[in-house]
Amino acid sequence: MASRSGTTTGLALLFGVLGTLHFVKPEPFEQIVPRALPRKKELVYASGAAELACAAGLLHPRTRRVAGLVSAGLLVAVFPANVQMAADLQRKGSLPAKAVAWARLPLQLPLIRRALKAARGDG
């Protein structure tokens, strides 16, 4: 069985925490769903469930390949919400909040790379 790297475990932990937060406190996530999309609460719950499934899948060698691919796809799919958050904060956020929101956008790329690396079985 392929061993799991620390960064894959970290990605699983990140998905697990964020997925849980989607259910415990969905309101902040609803606020960043792009305006053009309907049924924001349902989308937040669906993405939270997907994050929890990705977290679980990344932890087991038999499901890691599929979970890595789905994780990468999920990170791409939620990127517009991160852009929406940065745009909203640009209009009404504090300077530090604006800086963090814009700075985190390029951080999606290493997360996507990590997910793809997990899918390949690279430790």
Side-chain angles (χ1 to χ4, degrees):
M1 296 215 172
S3 64
R4 181 177 66 239
S5 74
T7 54
T8 297
T9 301
L11 185 61
L13 180 63
L14 178 68
F15 275 130
V17 169
L18 289 173
T20 300
L21 285 173
H22 278 67
F23 291 97
V24 174
K25 192 158 176 59
E27 296 81 14
F29 297 100
E30 289 174 52
Q31 292 174 8
I32 65 170
V33 173
R35 289 178 187 77
L37 297 176
R39 306 178 73 105
K40 294 181 182 340
K41 184 168 283 219
E42 290 86 348
L43 288 171
V44 167
Y45 288 153
S47 64
E51 288 180 0
L52 291 172
C54 287
L58 287 167
L59 294 175
H60 196 281
R62 288 188 179 163
T63 55
R64 191 168 301 131
R65 181 179 188 288
V66 170
L69 294 172
V70 172
S71 296
L74 181 59
L75 288 163
V76 170
V78 300
F79 187 74
N82 294 328
V83 171
Q84 183 70 59
M85 180 178 60
D88 288 346
L89 286 171
Q90 187 64 36
R91 286 190 293 279
K92 61 183 177 198
S94 67
L95 187 58
K98 291 175 189 180
V100 168
W102 287 107
R104 71 179 278 203
L105 293 177
L107 295 177
Q108 292 286 113
L109 291 173
L111 292 173
I112 292 167
R113 272 196 303 260
R114 179 62 250 168
L116 292 173
K117 198 171 183 181
R120 288 192 308 269
D122 297 343

